[in-house]
Amino acid sequence: MALLFSLILAICTGPGLLDARPSSHPFGRSPSSVRLVGGAHHCEGRVEVQQAGEWGTVCDDGWDKNDAAVVCRELGCGAVKRAISGTVYGPLTQGNQKIFIQEFKCNGMEESLSQCEREDFFDCTHEEDAGAVCEFPENVRLVDGPKRCQGRVEVKHQGQWGTVCKAGWSFAAAKVVCRQLECGRAILTRKCCNKATQGQGLIWLRKASCSGKEISLQDCPSGVWERNNCTHDEDVWVECEDPFELQLVGGDSRCAGRLEVLHKGEWGTVCDDGWGEEADQVVCRQLGCGESLSPSAKFRRRFGPGVGHIWLDDVACSGEERSLEQCAHRFWGQHNCKHAEDVAVVCAEE
């Protein structure tokens, strides 16, 4: 009878409650017990898991894209882009936050972290927190335009793609579309289209009350998508700036140097008017490097002045942007600077 009771208890409570040693047993929790924190959206950030109602972090021992891929899948995000280590997504929300897991051992095919083997925490600091960057789920797109960031707006609702009626649409909603698609700033929105670029099929109507600062259209406080009496003559068209292509030059690695951006096929520098540590963080994030090291002005000057175009000036970031084109800035080529004021950035290497 005692043996039978022990077996029943083991089955009900699961491994780990009877054996507290670091082990390779499954992390048996529901999908809602995993989250990404500190990123620009729910598909990017520091990995946290829930245990006994408390959220804790995961150490980066052995952390790789296989582990990150499982997190992305469990959260309903797109494909994994990067596995992150360190304090990129700090600071912590709680100074005394615990570290629960030393290492996950996923093969990348699991549906959730609960199916991966693990080792319980025994030696780690928050300087070694694991993180992940996943693709944002595709539920909006721009189609039939001359570039990826220009075109007729289509949204995916109830598993079906449809165009969007101009009624109830706003420029603030266009800003959100540009941000969600990782394009640059919204340039214009208007009623679409000529016959060649008109949509077909479903037309969705939604009274979007976007502020323009949301990460996705789904974050806008507004009514549900619904069928309507609109025609494809009223389809919405949006144009955004192209994403910035960046490079750091003059340093010993791709994560340190003078900042240059590509415009019209030519590289040019960025003036330091208005530049701050928040902008450094955005550049480091966009380049897939570690956190900004925020060096002194004297140290930055060692990368030397650039030549040719000064493309950007008065760049102002909050630090939350996913890429530099989402920061406020003057139009291309408008500045009052010399190359002695060129921006340089130094990031930790991944």
Side-chain angles (χ1 to χ4, degrees), residues 79-102:
V80 61
K81 296 172 72 174
R82 295 195 304 277
I84 301 292
S85 300
T87 58
V88 176
Y89 296 110
L92 299 174
T93 54
Q94 303 175 31
N96 60 348
Q97 190 173 29
K98 295 179 181 178
I99 303 170
F100 285 151
I101 306 299
Q102 186 75 24

Side-chain angles (χ1 to χ4, degrees), residues 149-328:
C149 293
Q150 299 179 12
R152 184 181 65 253
V153 180
E154 294 190 353
V155 296
K156 191 175 186 179
H157 180 57
Q158 297 178 343
Q160 295 179 289
W161 287 100
T163 62
V164 177
C165 183
K166 184 68 170 64
W169 190 256
S170 66
F171 188 70
K175 289 182 178 180
V176 177
V177 168
C178 293
R179 180 178 300 111
Q180 185 170 349
L181 294 177
E182 298 187 347
C183 298
R185 296 184 303 181
I187 301 172
L188 66 85
T189 185
R190 60 177 171 82
K191 186 171 70 173
C192 181
C193 293
N194 58 41
K195 294 297 182 182
T197 55
Q198 277 186 357
Q200 297 179 352
L202 293 173
I203 303 174
W204 296 113
L205 173 65
R206 186 187 194 191
K207 296 187 184 301
S209 301
C210 303
S211 69
K213 297 181 179 179
E214 295 86 356
I215 298 300
S216 71
L217 284 180
Q218 285 65 38
D219 297 328
C220 295
S222 52
V224 298
W225 295 105
E226 58 188 20
R227 297 178 184 270
N228 52 84
N229 295 322
C230 297
T231 69
H232 284 296
D233 290 330
E234 301 170 89
D235 288 345
V236 170
W237 181 276
V238 166
E239 294 185 8
C240 322
E241 287 184 342
D242 290 331
F244 289 179
E245 186 172 344
L246 309 181
Q247 64 179 8
L248 297 176
V249 299
D252 296 329
S253 76
R254 70 177 189 87
C255 292
R258 183 179 63 254
L259 177 62
E260 295 188 352
V261 295
L262 186 66
H263 180 57
K264 293 184 176 179
E266 296 186 57
W267 290 99
T269 61
V270 178
C271 182
D272 63 7
D273 290 352
W275 192 269
E277 292 184 8
E278 296 83 2
D280 283 350
Q281 295 168 10
V282 174
V283 170
C284 293
R285 183 180 302 124
Q286 183 172 351
L287 291 175
C289 300
E291 63 182 340
S292 166
L293 300 181
S294 301
S296 66
K298 181 179 179 181
F299 187 92
R300 295 175 195 254
R301 285 196 291 271
R302 69 171 54 188
F303 301 113
V307 295
H309 295 289
I310 299 176
W311 280 133
L312 294 176
D313 190 16
D314 292 329
V315 178
C317 305
S318 69
E320 299 298 320
E321 297 87 355
R322 284 180 281 174
S323 52
L324 196 64
E325 66 269 6
Q326 296 174 0
C327 301

Side-chain angles (χ1 to χ4, degrees), residues 105-152:
K105 300 176 181 179
C106 307
N107 62 33
M109 302 304 294
E110 297 89 348
E111 292 298 321
S112 68
L113 286 180
S114 66
Q115 298 173 0
C116 300
E117 294 183 342
R118 72 160 198 204
E119 287 191 3
D120 293 329
F121 167 73
F122 59 88
D123 181 25
C124 200
T125 71
H126 284 302
E127 300 293 320
E128 304 167 83
D129 284 343
V133 179
C134 319
E135 292 181 354
F136 201 77
E138 184 187 28
N139 48 33
V140 63
R141 63 188 182 188
L142 298 176
V143 298
D144 289 339
K147 299 180 179 180
R148 181 181 75 83
C149 293
Q150 299 179 12
R152 184 181 65 253

Side-chain angles (χ1 to χ4, degrees), residues 57-93:
T57 63
V58 174
C59 187
D60 64 4
D61 285 8
W63 186 259
D64 59 19
K65 290 185 74 172
N66 285 338
D67 304 307
V70 177
V71 173
C72 295
R73 186 175 300 116
E74 183 167 359
L75 293 177
C77 301
V80 61
K81 296 172 72 174
R82 295 195 304 277
I84 301 292
S85 300
T87 58
V88 176
Y89 296 110
L92 299 174
T93 54

